Amino acid sequence: MAHRTPAYRTLVWWAMVAAAHQWGGGGLGTGAIGQEPVPPAEIRSTAETPVAGDPVGDDLAERVGRLVDGLRSDQFAVRELASEQLFRLGPACLPILRVTRRQSNDTEQSDRLDRIIDSLAKQSLESRIRSFLQGGPSELENWPELEKWFGDSPRIRELFVDLYREHPYLVDALGGTPQQLSMGLSRVRRRLIERGVGPRETPQRVDLIALLLPLTDPDFTGGAQYDLIVASLLQLYPANDFRKDAIFGEPFMRMVAKWMSRSDISIREQVLRLALQWKMDIGLTLALETLKQNPDPILLCRCMQTISRQGTREHAVLLAAYINDPTVVFQKRYLGVHGGEVQVGDVAAASIARLNSVPVTEIGFAEPAEHPIFGIIYEELVVPMKRPAKSTDSDEETDQGDDEDGESADDETLDENDLTPLQPGNLTPREIARLIDHAKRREAARVEIRLKALELVPAAPAETPQKS
């Protein structure tokens, strides 16, 4: 906000003088009618002192302190004149104003300080930026907060200038209190929404830095909402391009890893997936820590998937604890061989096989589910259907009855090409009978799969899994 014109100041001053006469004066220091009004003492001492050539030091701090006190006066004219004199002092008083702003708890004073700081910062910004980009000593606030992550080079300085221009409130908050960081982060979020970042526009590099810098502060917790924003934006192309940059890549990845280690558990599933995609070792540490927190079934399976890709054979002992868990985490859409469900215990068995470099088909799964990046794709696990043994007379009589009808249940349910859609709520009695039969056959195969998986666990007792 630009400072007021002389005409405006004169108008405001005479209006306040007239009001003072009408209300009985008091505090406005007016003289006789027709004489020039006299400003209050705390404003007059500074207003009558030339600004040019004043030393920057104790004298400046004292004068700025008096003027800042005037910003919370109960008289409008005093507040206006104090603002004008702070504008006249120029950028030299910015450090003092910023410290005062952080300590202020007066609404009027804080609002005026925000406007004054913003205006003074813009006055000399371009000259300071030119000096900074030429390698001179930094006069840009909080440059060390970025330098400690990325070091100092021409391209890093250009990145900081872009950050300074796009998210100045965030830069100003760096190194401040948790409340100040929260306010700065809120401004970043508002700015991203204004630009339509996500639905209409891809994020810039400085957007990612603006979000990550406060979230890596050990004394600040942004919360799940900001962790979710970061996780979503990191999935977009600019982030992937950023991490591959020869200069920015390594420190950017360290910053992401720091954020991951502090991320909220409610988005841990997305974080682990990203760690796998980007082949970040932090994924294993997070997965092992998350297992101790009794995660929900989906997150539990993502942890096991991460361990299967980044862990060692010794980690199979941890996964064996989940081998008998019947919780369903994925339901197939078909009635036939490719149908069925995936249970937590299935994911544990497949992960144990992967840790031992054993194909999942060798322990009994019907199809491969290995993946070079994710270890295993647990949604692709297929538990086969064992053919029931025909050992009793009653079984033979039942089979003969099926043959007389011209329909063999074994042949029908074990058809490799059977992709009959599963439509809950519209199942015929025959389809329900098929599902029950399939479930029994898969359970028999599932017991064998888990037994074979337990044989791969180092020093683990081969406990026979129970049917659920």
Side-chain angles (χ1 to χ4, degrees), residues 43-106:
I43 302 298
R44 185 172 67 248
S45 61
T46 301
E48 296 170 353
T49 303
V51 175
D54 284 350
V56 179
D58 293 339
D59 182 50
L60 176 63
E62 182 181 350
R63 294 192 346 264
V64 170
R66 289 198 302 269
L67 292 172
V68 167
D69 286 340
L71 296 179
R72 58 184 178 185
S73 170
D74 58 358
Q75 300 175 24
F76 178 72
V78 174
R79 298 196 301 270
E80 282 293 294
L81 285 181
S83 297
E84 293 305 321
Q85 292 307 312
L86 287 172
F87 278 123
R88 288 183 60 192
L89 286 176
C93 66
L94 273 173
I96 303 173
L97 294 180
R98 286 194 170 98
V99 171
T100 305
R101 173 61 185 88
R102 290 177 177 175
Q103 298 173 347
S104 174
N105 56 11
D106 183 272

Side-chain angles (χ1 to χ4, degrees), residues 46-251:
T46 301
E48 296 170 353
T49 303
V51 175
D54 284 350
V56 179
D58 293 339
D59 182 50
L60 176 63
E62 182 181 350
R63 294 192 346 264
V64 170
R66 289 198 302 269
L67 292 172
V68 167
D69 286 340
L71 296 179
R72 58 184 178 185
S73 170
D74 58 358
Q75 300 175 24
F76 178 72
V78 174
R79 298 196 301 270
E80 282 293 294
L81 285 181
S83 297
E84 293 305 321
Q85 292 307 312
L86 287 172
F87 278 123
R88 288 183 60 192
L89 286 176
C93 66
L94 273 173
I96 303 173
L97 294 180
R98 286 194 170 98
V99 171
T100 305
R101 173 61 185 88
R102 290 177 177 175
Q103 298 173 347
S104 174
N105 56 11
D106 183 272
T107 303
E108 175 70 19
Q109 184 187 57
S110 297
D111 289 344
R112 286 179 175 267
L113 281 172
D114 283 340
R115 294 195 294 271
I116 295 169
I117 290 171
D118 184 59
S119 179
L120 293 181
K122 290 177 179 177
Q123 286 183 21
S124 64
L125 177 60
E126 293 306 316
S127 62
R128 288 185 293 142
I129 285 176
R130 284 193 296 271
S131 173
F132 178 70
L133 292 178
Q134 291 170 1
S138 173
E139 295 182 8
L140 300 180
E141 291 74 18
N142 290 326
W143 154 245
E145 295 297 324
L146 186 74
E147 184 183 24
K148 69 183 181 183
W149 285 100
F150 288 85
D152 190 355
S153 73
R155 286 189 63 195
I156 302 298
R157 290 193 171 216
E158 290 174 4
L159 177 69
F160 184 70
V161 168
D162 291 341
L163 178 66
Y164 199 94
R165 292 184 190 277
E166 186 63 26
H167 300 290
Y169 291 100
L170 185 279
V171 173
D172 185 55
L174 293 176
T177 66
Q179 182 180 8
Q180 291 159 359
L181 287 173
S182 179
M183 293 177 63
L185 201 53
S186 178
R187 292 289 191 106
V188 173
R189 180 173 178 268
R190 189 185 313 169
R191 177 65 178 144
L192 297 181
I193 293 174
E194 290 172 355
R195 285 171 34 208
V197 171
R200 299 194 307 270
E201 179 183 331
T202 56
Q204 302 174 14
R205 291 181 173 184
V206 290
D207 298 330
L208 300 173
I209 296 299
L211 289 168
L212 286 170
L213 275 174
L215 294 178
T216 55
D217 189 308
D219 298 322
F220 176 69
T221 301
Q225 61 170 334
Y226 288 109
D227 285 337
L228 183 58
I229 293 173
V230 173
S232 301
L233 295 185
L234 288 178
Q235 295 284 348
L236 302 179
Y237 172 76
N240 194 45
D241 181 57
F242 201 6
R243 73 185 181 94
K244 296 178 181 178
D245 189 281
I247 293 178
F248 300 121
E250 190 274 333

